Amino acid sequence: MPELPEMQALAERLDVAIAGRRIERIHPLAFASLKTFAPDPASLVGEAVEHVSRRGKYVVWGFGAGTRILFHLSQGGRVDLEDPPKATKPRGALVRFTFAGGPAVLLKEFGTERKAGWWVLAPGDDGPLVGLGPDIDTDAFAELVATTTDRRRLHTFLRDQRTVAGLGRGYTDDALHRAGLSPFATVASLEPESRQRLVDAVRAALADGLTIERRRTGGLPTKLGDHWVVHKRAGEACPNGCGDTLARVSFDSYEMTYCPNCQTDGRVLADRRLSRLLK
């Protein structure tokens, strides 16, 4: 799933490509992907995008009257920047936005989940943004980590978009490895020094990811996450050079990766998938 670095860098590229341009056409290609019924998307034809930004994992297009278009790519959503614009309907296409004198932006989705979507929000309506937790780079995030008594596991706490906005499985694994903290530790159990280390590690992991993502051009390609440090690298040597091997905990639809030596005092966490195979 695209996370904060992918979406931030994408928003920056789109801002360069379409900010200041007027929408010529909005062509819905999968009607279930539009999550709002008012305002009518057609009402934005002829309007210029003033700026493109990001909130959590959402890309936000702002218009002069305060209307906004949002999109969220979920697990399999991707973006093509078409220059020149196309008229085809590729497999998985959701919607195509065509701009005067510029490229077209095509949202599409791979896989079968069909959870990617887009919203047209009236002025003052925050839509799905209203339930998001603080972004990583805000004082509110640091204050939350410093003061929370949340008893959930760190991996769960960081990935909950209602608590912290922008993180997914990949950068959560990398941040916890960088912080030297177990994914199964509870937030409430952390001492002040560990809490600050967590904040610093999360921000550093995302900053490193963003530096790499800013090297991309165009939209957002199919292959992502090839620069993660530990996520999906179970069985490889720990990048800290500690001599241990990265391990994983497998769940039905995802896995978390960690270093037993650096994060769990040498303990190997129970892997549910492996436990079922051994029964």
Side-chain angles (χ1 to χ4, degrees):
M1 175 184 291
E3 300 181 39
L4 187 153
E6 289 84 3
M7 300 307 285
Q8 176 62 36
L10 174 63
E12 293 171 2
R13 294 194 295 275
L14 292 178
D15 190 63
V16 171
I18 67 174
R21 299 189 185 274
R22 297 185 181 278
I23 293 181
E24 279 191 336
R25 186 184 185 194
I26 300 177
H27 187 189
L29 300 169
F31 290 94
S33 66
L34 176 59
K35 306 303 181 183
T36 50
F37 63 90
D40 185 344
S43 66
L44 290 174
V45 172
E47 296 293 324
V49 176
E50 287 202 340
H51 56 83
V52 180
S53 59
R54 176 204 55 81
R55 173 75 168 98
K57 298 180 185 179
Y58 292 84
V59 168
V60 183
W61 298 357
F63 296 83
T67 307
R68 289 175 290 176
I69 290 177
L70 273 58
F71 65 81
H72 190 289
L73 299 179
S74 191
Q75 184 71 29
R78 296 296 185 266
V79 177
D80 285 348
L81 198 58
E82 301 174 338
D83 194 6
K86 300 177 182 179
T88 58
K89 182 182 178 181
R91 183 177 180 180
L94 303 180
V95 60
R96 177 180 281 115
F97 302 89
T98 306
F99 296 87
V105 177
L106 174 72
L107 304 188
K108 58 186 181 179
E109 186 172 21
F110 297 96
T112 59
E113 287 193 347
R114 295 293 180 262
K115 291 184 178 181
W118 58 291
W119 292 253
V120 181
L121 301 181
D125 181 7
D126 283 337
L129 303 181
V130 72
L132 294 181
D135 272 311
I136 304 301
D137 58 352
T138 63
D139 291 341
F141 168 66
E143 179 68 15
L144 171 68
V145 174
T147 61
T148 184
T149 57
D150 197 309
R151 303 202 64 82
R152 289 178 293 172
R153 292 170 173 172
L154 283 174
H155 208 277
T156 303
F157 173 83
L158 291 174
R159 290 189 299 108
D160 186 346
Q161 299 303 296
R162 297 165 299 179
T163 306
V164 177
L167 275 169
R169 298 162 190 159
Y171 288 102
T172 295
D173 279 354
D174 281 9
L176 292 175
H177 178 265
R178 185 185 290 254
L181 296 171
S182 169
F184 280 8
T186 64
V187 189
S189 68
L190 297 183
E191 297 297 327
E193 183 276 332
S194 296
R195 293 177 185 237
Q196 185 59 53
R197 195 166 74 247
L198 176 62
V199 170
D200 294 342
V202 169
R203 288 175 170 172
L206 293 178
D208 286 352
L210 181 56
T211 296
I212 296 172
E213 287 298 325
R214 282 175 170 157
R215 299 172 187 164
R216 295 190 191 273
T217 58
L220 195 66
T222 304
K223 183 175 175 58
L224 297 174
D226 51 342
H227 50 264
W228 281 319
V229 177
V230 300
H231 183 62
K232 291 190 174 180
R233 298 188 184 277
E236 298 182 15
C238 173
N240 287 346
C242 71
D244 207 343
T245 300
L246 297 175
R248 68 184 172 195
V249 178
S250 301
F251 297 90
D252 289 337
S253 60
Y254 71 97
E255 65 182 43
M256 61 176 67
T257 311
Y258 67 99
C259 173
N261 182 72
C262 297
Q263 295 176 252
T264 59
D265 296 323
R267 290 180 293 108
V268 176
L269 303 175
D271 187 330
R272 297 180 182 181
R273 187 177 301 174
L274 179 60
S275 297
R276 287 199 298 270
L277 291 174
L278 295 176
K279 287 181 179 179

